Amino acid sequence: MKRWEETITIKAPADKVFAYVSDFAHHAEWSLNNLQVSRADSGPVVVGTVYSTEAKQFGTQRETSTITEMSAPRDFGWMSVGALGSVHHRFLISEDAGTTTLTRSAEFVETKTLAKITMFKTSKDLPKGLRSDLSRIKAAVEAPAS
C-alpha cells in the first residue's frame, strides 16, 4: 500500500516529544483540517484506547482511531478507520544529546473508493501535510513553558 514519511529535528528531550505526540488531545493543535478529537472512554491511555475524530477534508471526515503502539519514549502509533479506508499513523522518536529526531509516517492499509479516487491528490498533499504537522509539533514542543 501507499506509505509516506517525513522527519524533523527538535531541540527537546525525547520524553517531552513523546508526551506531546502521544496525547491525542494535542493532535487538534498540530493537525490541519480543523481536527476535533474525543475519547470513547476514560482511564489510562494504553494500546487499544479508542478516539473519535472529525476533520474537514473532502467534506466532513469522521474516523475511529485506535492506539496500536505506545512504547515511551520512542514509538507511538494508531490506526484510523473512516471513509478513506484504514490508515496506520506512526511517530518514531530518537534522542541524541538532548536533540530529538521525530519521524511521522502514514500508510494506507486499506483504501476505499474515495481514497482510490483522490489518491493522486493525496499523494501530492500528504507529504506536505506531514511536514506541516512536524513543523507545528516542533514549534509547540520547543516553545517556552508558560
Side-chain angles (χ1 to χ4, degrees):
M1 287 279 130
K2 293 271 189 178
R3 183 176 188 281
W4 299 267
E5 179 179 291
E6 296 291 335
T7 300
I8 199 165
T9 302
I10 300 174
K11 294 177 186 169
D15 59 343
K16 182 176 181 182
V17 174
F18 180 86
Y20 186 76
V21 300
S22 66
D23 183 343
F24 248 83
H26 288 302
H27 288 212
E29 296 172 9
W30 52 261
S31 183
L32 298 175
N33 307 318
N34 299 317
L35 183 72
Q36 297 175 11
V37 177
S38 61
R39 185 164 169 194
D41 60 6
S42 60
V45 176
V46 295
V47 170
T49 298
V50 177
Y51 293 87
S52 295
T53 63
E54 184 176 302
K56 306 293 185 200
Q57 180 179 22
F58 307 117
T60 298
Q61 298 296 317
R62 291 177 183 85
E63 297 182 339
T64 300
S65 295
T66 305
I67 296 176
T68 56
E69 292 94 21
M70 191 166 186
S71 299
R74 64 186 184 281
D75 188 7
F76 180 73
W78 69 98
M79 182 71 71
S80 292
V81 179
L84 295 175
S86 300
V87 181
H88 185 248
H89 302 268
R90 192 169 190 188
F91 285 107
L92 294 176
I93 303 161
S94 63
E95 182 179 352
D96 183 25
T99 299
T100 298
T101 300
L102 179 63
T103 301
R104 166 119 165 76
S105 64
E107 177 178 14
F108 273 90
V109 177
E110 173 201 5
T111 53
K112 292 189 178 175
T113 302
L114 180 59
K116 291 174 184 173
I117 292 169
T118 61
M119 191 56 71
F120 177 76
K121 181 164 177 41
T122 299
S123 293
K124 291 178 70 175
D125 293 348
L126 197 76
K128 294 176 202 172
L130 294 176
R131 287 190 297 274
S132 176
D133 291 350
L134 289 170
S135 292
R136 290 173 182 225
I137 291 165
K138 176 183 175 80
V141 173
E142 289 181 349
S146 52

